[in-house]
Amino acid sequence: MTDSLLTERLQDFIHSNRDATLGLLRRYLGSQKQFLLHSDLTDQLQEYIGTEGGAILADSMVSSLIELAQEAALDAPWIYFAIRRRIGRWLYLRCHIDSMDFEEITVGNYLYFKERLATPGIMGSRWPLEIDLSPFNREFPKLQESRSIGRGVEFLNKRLSSQLFEKSGSRFRHLLDFLTVHEYKGMQLMLNNRPWEESDLRQALHRAEDYLSTQPQDTHWKNVDATMKSLGFEPGWGKDVTTIRETLHLLSDLLEAPEPVVLGHFLGRIPMIYNLAILSPHGFFGQSNVLGRPDTGGQVVYILDQVRALEKEMRKRLHEQGLDIEPQILVVTRLIPESEGTSCDQRIEPITGTENARILRIPFRQESGEIVRHWISRFRIWPYLERFAEDAAQEIVAELQSRPDLIVGNYSDGNLVATLLAQNLGVTQCNIAHALEKSKYLYSDLYWQQNEEEYHFSSQFTADLIAMNAADFIITSTYQEIAGNHTSVGQYETYSAFTMPGLYRVVSGIDIFDPKFNIVSPGANADIYFPFSETERRLQNLHPDIENLLYGEGRTDTRGNLLAINKPIIFSMARLDHIKNLTGLVQWYGQSEPLRELTNLVIVSGHVDPEQSSDNEEKMQIQKMHELLNEYQLDTQVRWIGAHIEKSLAGELYRYIADHHGVFVQPALFEAFGLTVIEAMISGLPTFATRYGGPLEIIEHGESGFHIDPNHGQENAELISDFFLRCQKEPQHWDGISQGGIRRVLEKYTWELYAERMMTLSRIYGFWKYVTNLERDETRRYLEMFYALQYRPLAEKVQVS
């Protein structure tokens, strides 16, 4: 149904049921709220339908509209609705309570109305700086179906491969040129630099096939290189005759018919990625003694595991291509002279478990050039990033002795630096958000000025917009991260339209149907996290330490001593902040007599002593945790461990709890992915995790774990206690969920799968960037202006203590 038809049918229904509809709208206005969320709208709708006057609205056009509404803005006599008809497809309507006429409005008008309500002093200018990136993308191919979101490379190959060999030959010319540009430290790769035409390449392929068919299939490249070079073929086609012929056949098939799958396989074999730079500026980035410090958590673990997997995949591909080249990976982060006992004051740190990957640390500098010596919150680092990017460009090139072949940004700050570096060095850029702060805090854009002193969202959201649109491709861990689901909005989708009153209004910021989005899920480190049943790999020598953690007395980093140590354990481990909701879990447990009767609760998080924390939000959560333990008298049933646990111990701790038929609970209000979820699942722990974010995709409810709603603690407590009660009657039920979780991770969430996918994507997007420049030159120029005129002044205003 088109938007106009929907509005027409809605109006027809209202005219026939005016009193009932008016009663609902007056109910909304009577709430005395300026904004109603989706849950507010639907809850009041259901209450109203339960009344005599509202019953007629059940299963009506009005109720269908309300079910699709993500938000309403109210100022009598007007109500404005933001309708999400389908994932990524929005419609904006307004209704006058007296006339009862619904009319469609533009997104700009909707945002203007919100501005007037949120900031009456500013009154929302009709002519603010309005950001609209849609004109730059009108001719660019876009996905149409929501189910295709996150599969951008497949779509791009399908749409563009058919144009590759068009009659004009221009794109075929680009392919030929692309095959001749590859070289490594002066060594020509793939095709030599002779003037190639299509007929020349076809003839050379035929002659190469005739020659190679006479050679033993295991013959190494070095034994056929003289003949192959005489035909125009340089190293890079494969390590032996079998591999060389496979690659040549892929190219021949492309010349015959440009199939997208064949194109992907062919590009995946081209030697393009030797040196990689990964940007992660904020926090304490190191390999030990850093986790749990401010701004330092899962992102560090993700990147270190990512590096190990990528180096292995890069080396494997180079070997298959017949090249004796050692790949290099640099994780570029901030050097902190006052490193608090960590290695963050060291310029270079080799990464364990790799051959030639290392952390390169570069300091932040004041305008005078003076090095900033102390840690700075991720919310306050914006003034330093431009200088950091300039210094990083020089040091990366010096360290690698060349430009990197791919730059990967992490989080908002790393993605902005990656953007500056990619433009400076002319390199393919990949972005990974990990988490977007905008979706964590309700109305963080609309009320940005109230949060500016603490969070500086104006700089961060501006940096996000620039980096998202500048990236050649973006990888996410889940579909949820991009587009949410039918009832919730994705993190990236929240950047499609929003406003920061008095600053600027975004009517088209990011398009989730852009083919730059790809889902590449990470995994758990298989050397550390593996099933509890693999007894030969178990770390039995750590069990005394684990038992001391769980049950030992006299420790200063714990609170609570478990009285009934034979009970199974509900286990959770995360940072101690509001979003992770560990205090919520303690409250559910404290209020549930069945859970307290059946189980013990163990929390690993933060510090027990608030004086040991330098993070204000963590201090508040520490205090709340103590208050809950006191209120529900939980000191004999809850063990709170306020200590950092190194990874090998953490892995064995999961398995130890699985030995005793415990479970893992991840109660976050929102979780972009959930590394602890897959760590617990692969260890064999039945896992209960938030339905908001990545865990909704990771877990198949009732088969490989369970979804919980962090907003409904009593229901969660009942779900978990029912699980334990069933396991008492049917011990095989615990085993079934445990095995289901292990299977799920092995099938979908491993670093091997991640690295293979990542390396293929980098080659394909690198190719399309060369062939078409992805037709984003105009966007880049617009973003450069936005950076200079908007981001830079905002960053300069950030005050650093």
Side-chain angles (χ1 to χ4, degrees):
M1 188 187 303
T2 64
D3 292 346
S4 58
L5 183 57
L6 181 146
T7 306
E8 182 180 332
R9 290 188 178 181
L10 174 66
Q11 204 64 61
D12 288 342
F13 176 86
I14 292 173
H15 286 165
S16 301
N17 301 275
R18 182 182 177 89
D19 288 347
T21 307
L22 181 61
L24 176 64
L25 297 182
R26 287 191 178 279
R27 192 183 187 96
Y28 288 147
L29 288 172
S31 67
Q32 302 300 310
K33 293 183 179 180
Q34 292 179 315
F35 302 102
L36 296 177
L37 300 174
H38 173 74
S39 57
D40 299 323
L41 293 167
T42 54
D43 287 350
Q44 291 197 39
L45 170 66
Q46 292 307 314
E47 289 178 9
Y48 184 62
I49 288 175
T51 67
E52 182 178 349
I56 196 171
L57 296 186
D59 301 320
S60 68
M61 284 294 297
V62 170
S63 64
S64 296
L65 175 83
I66 298 303
E67 291 292 342
L68 294 173
Q70 292 298 313
E71 178 188 64
L74 303 89
D75 186 20
W78 289 103
I79 303 179
Y80 283 51
F81 292 96
I83 308 296
R84 188 173 179 251
R85 295 200 56 196
R86 297 187 303 279
I87 290 173
R89 306 295 188 190
W90 292 78
L91 168 69
Y92 300 92
L93 300 175
R94 70 175 183 177
C95 175
H96 194 283
I97 196 73
D98 295 330
S99 67
M100 292 295 291
D101 287 330
F102 276 79
E103 63 176 318
E104 184 177 353
I105 58 173
T106 66
V107 59
N109 282 336
Y110 178 77
L111 295 175
Y112 169 63
F113 187 72
K114 288 181 66 176
E115 292 163 8
R116 288 178 52 214
L117 294 179
T119 53
I122 296 176
M123 287 300 293
S125 170
R126 277 287 188 185
W127 308 105
L129 172 61
E130 195 165 88
I131 307 302
D132 184 358
L133 286 150
S134 61
F136 298 105
N137 300 314
R138 282 183 184 141
E139 304 302 322
F140 196 80
K142 294 289 181 66
L143 302 157
Q144 296 299 315
E145 300 296 331
S146 58
R147 65 177 180 274
S148 299
I149 292 170
R151 295 160 51 194
V153 75
E154 299 170 31
F155 171 82
L156 202 62
N157 276 351
K158 289 177 183 177
R159 287 295 298 266
L160 297 185
S161 61
S162 62
Q163 304 172 22
L164 191 58
F165 304 107
E166 59 190 13
K167 294 296 183 182
S168 66
S170 61
R171 294 192 186 264
F172 180 77
R173 178 77 263 157
H174 288 315
L175 176 62
L176 281 175
D177 292 344
F178 182 73
L179 291 175
T180 63
V181 298
H182 297 288
E183 61 88 30
Y184 180 79
K185 294 186 176 180
M187 177 175 64
Q188 183 65 32
L189 302 173
M190 301 307 291
L191 291 181
N192 65 25
N193 289 317
R194 70 174 66 170
W196 288 91
E197 297 295 338
E198 180 181 354
S199 58
D200 300 327
L201 183 56
R202 288 183 182 275
Q203 184 178 20
L205 287 169
H206 293 153
R207 293 177 64 187
E209 173 61 25
D210 291 342
Y211 166 67
L212 293 173
S213 66
T214 68
Q215 305 299 308
Q217 295 306 291
D218 60 352
T219 303
H220 195 274
W221 167 269
K222 65 183 179 182
N223 295 318
V224 299
D225 70 333
T227 302
M228 293 298 290
K229 286 182 177 180
S230 70
L231 296 173
F233 298 101
E234 300 289 341
W237 293 90
K239 64 179 180 179
D240 53 31
V241 168
T242 297
T243 313
I244 298 166
R245 293 182 71 187
E246 289 173 355
T247 309
L248 293 174
H249 290 166
L250 287 171
L251 180 55
S252 295
D253 291 343
L254 274 181
L255 296 178
E256 192 68 24
E259 289 288 333
V261 174
V262 176
L263 178 63
H265 287 322
F266 177 68
L267 294 174
R269 288 172 174 254
I270 295 179
M272 296 168 56
I273 310 296
Y274 322 102
N275 298 317
L276 189 62
I278 298 176
L279 277 298
S280 183
H282 76 255
F284 290 81
F285 196 102
Q287 299 177 84
S288 62
N289 198 30
V290 296
L291 296 182
R293 293 175 181 272
D295 294 344
T296 310
Q299 181 174 316
V300 173
V301 177
Y302 178 111
I303 292 172
L304 291 173
D305 287 344
Q306 173 199 50
V307 165
R308 296 182 183 100
L310 288 176
E311 187 196 58
K312 185 176 179 180
E313 180 68 17
M314 291 166 70
R315 184 175 288 106
K316 172 187 169 185
R317 293 200 182 205
L318 289 169
H319 173 72
E320 290 296 320
Q321 291 152 0
L323 300 173
D324 186 17
I325 296 173
E326 181 64 28
Q328 299 187 84
I329 301 178
L330 294 179
V331 177
V332 184
T333 188
R334 182 193 164 196
L335 186 143
I336 308 175
E338 296 175 5
S339 60
E340 301 181 12
T342 72
S343 60
C344 295
D345 58 345
Q346 300 175 18
R347 178 180 178 273
I348 289 287
E349 180 182 351
I351 295 176
T352 59
T354 70
E355 296 289 331
N356 201 22
R358 50 210 185 271
I359 301 169
L360 171 64
R361 297 189 180 91
I362 300 164
F364 287 169
R365 295 182 181 272
Q366 305 283 10
E367 288 186 15
S368 63
E370 180 185 358
I371 290 175
V372 178
R373 300 187 58 81
H374 57 281
W375 167 84
I376 297 172
S377 162
R378 71 184 188 276
F379 295 116
R380 295 179 177 273
I381 65 175
W382 306 107
Y384 301 104
L385 295 184
E386 186 170 326
R387 175 68 178 267
F388 179 83
E390 294 172 358
D391 294 344
Q394 297 179 29
E395 296 214 30
I396 290 170
V397 172
E399 189 68 26
L400 297 174
Q401 294 298 297
S402 71
R403 296 182 308 169
D405 303 296
L406 175 67
I407 293 175
V408 180
N410 292 273
Y411 193 70
S412 299
D413 49 11
N415 287 331
L416 183 68
V417 175
T419 299
L420 299 175
L421 282 171
Q423 292 179 0
N424 182 359
L425 300 175
V427 178
T428 301
Q429 174 191 352
C430 168
N431 284 0
I432 306 173
H434 294 280
L436 293 168
E437 300 290 342
K438 185 172 174 296
S439 57
K440 287 185 179 181
Y441 301 87
L442 185 61
Y443 294 125
S444 56
D445 49 359
L446 195 61
Y447 296 104
W448 68 275
Q449 292 184 75
Q450 288 92 317
N451 295 309
E452 191 69 356
E453 183 176 350
E454 183 173 1
Y455 294 119
H456 300 283
F457 285 144
S458 64
S459 295
Q460 183 160 13
F461 298 168
T462 304
D464 285 337
L465 269 181
I466 293 168
M468 288 174 189
N469 283 284
D472 296 300
F473 66 105
I474 296 171
I475 69 169
T476 70
S477 298
T478 63
Y479 181 97
Q480 303 280 322
E481 195 176 336
I482 310 169
N485 55 41
H486 290 292
T487 58
S488 63
V489 181
Q491 289 187 68
Y492 279 96
E493 192 177 358
T494 66
Y495 283 81
S496 61
F498 65 95
T499 182
M500 290 192 283
L503 190 60
Y504 58 78
R505 180 187 302 159
V506 178
V507 297
S508 178
I510 191 69
D511 187 346
I512 61 173
F513 291 91
D514 193 307
K516 68 172 59 182
F517 287 101
N518 292 273
I519 300 167
V520 187
S521 301
N525 187 324
D527 293 328
I528 294 172
Y529 304 102
F530 54 85
F532 74 104
S533 56
E534 297 184 14
T535 54
E536 70 283 356
R537 300 177 63 191
R538 295 289 298 271
L539 306 176
Q540 298 291 338
N541 61 311
L542 294 179
H543 284 205
D545 292 337
I546 290 173
E547 289 165 358
N548 181 259
L549 266 180
L550 295 177
Y551 309 116
E553 298 184 6
R555 296 179 62 110
T556 59
D557 57 357
T558 64
R559 175 173 174 179
N561 290 296
L562 301 178
L563 185 62
I565 63 174
N566 60 320
K567 290 182 181 180
I569 288 173
I570 297 173
F571 178 51
S572 193
M573 180 165 57
R575 294 191 314 274
L576 194 55
D577 61 29
H578 170 70
I579 292 295
K580 295 300 183 182
N581 195 35
L582 291 176
T583 52
L585 172 59
V586 172
Q587 186 167 25
W588 308 342
Y589 180 85
Q591 293 175 344
S592 172
E593 286 300 327
L595 271 188
R596 296 176 64 169
E597 180 68 27
L598 291 164
T599 67
N600 290 319
L601 174 62
V602 173
I603 299 282
V604 175
S605 184
H607 300 281
V608 173
D609 181 359
E611 296 303 316
Q612 293 182 338
S613 174
S614 58
D615 183 274
N616 289 332
E617 184 174 350
E618 184 181 52
K619 286 183 177 181
M620 293 175 62
Q621 289 295 307
I622 292 171
Q623 185 61 39
K624 185 174 181 181
M625 186 77 82
H626 284 296
E627 291 171 358
L628 289 169
L629 293 174
N630 292 335
E631 178 181 355
Y632 295 105
Q633 300 179 16
L634 295 174
D635 279 318
T636 60
Q637 295 172 301
V638 174
R639 177 77 158 186
W640 174 18
I641 303 169
H644 167 64
I645 300 177
E646 56 95 14
K647 288 197 295 184
S648 60
L649 183 63
E652 191 61 25
L653 177 58
Y654 282 123
R655 292 185 290 270
Y656 183 94
I657 293 172
D659 288 336
H660 298 83
H661 283 195
V663 301
F664 182 80
V665 177
Q666 201 265 37
L669 302 177
F670 178 85
E671 184 63 60
F673 179 63
L675 274 175
T676 56
V677 171
I678 59 173
E679 289 170 359
M681 289 170 67
I682 193 62
S683 301
L685 272 178
T687 299
F688 297 75
T690 180
R691 66 185 304 276
Y692 296 114
L696 187 65
E697 290 178 40
I698 296 172
I699 291 173
E700 303 157 299
H701 186 75
E703 295 181 22
S704 55
F706 301 92
H707 302 141
I708 57 176
D709 187 334
N711 301 307
H712 296 90
Q714 182 178 349
E715 294 177 10
N716 299 332
E718 290 174 358
L719 178 66
I720 299 169
S721 60
D722 286 348
F723 172 81
F724 280 107
L725 286 171
R726 181 175 175 183
C727 290
Q728 286 182 350
K729 298 176 183 177
E730 306 171 32
Q732 67 272 21
H733 182 56
W734 188 95
D735 295 328
I737 300 299
S738 171
Q739 290 303 311
I742 292 170
R743 283 194 302 271
R744 180 68 172 171
V745 173
L746 292 176
E747 290 170 0
K748 297 280 291 184
Y749 303 101
T750 70
W751 281 112
E752 290 78 13
L753 292 172
Y754 176 99
E756 181 181 357
R757 179 73 168 158
M758 184 74 165
M759 285 295 98
T760 298
L761 287 174
S762 63
R763 285 161 168 79
I764 294 174
Y765 279 95
F767 169 71
W768 287 121
K769 181 174 184 177
Y770 179 86
V771 171
T772 67
N773 197 25
L774 292 178
E775 300 172 7
R776 299 189 191 272
D777 278 343
E778 295 85 354
T779 306
R780 180 176 59 81
R781 298 299 293 172
Y782 183 86
L783 295 174
E784 288 173 355
M785 180 177 65
F786 188 40
Y787 177 90
L789 299 181
Q790 193 69 63
Y791 170 79
R792 189 179 283 144
L794 289 170
E796 289 173 351
K797 291 180 182 178
V798 176
Q799 298 296 314
V800 180
S801 57

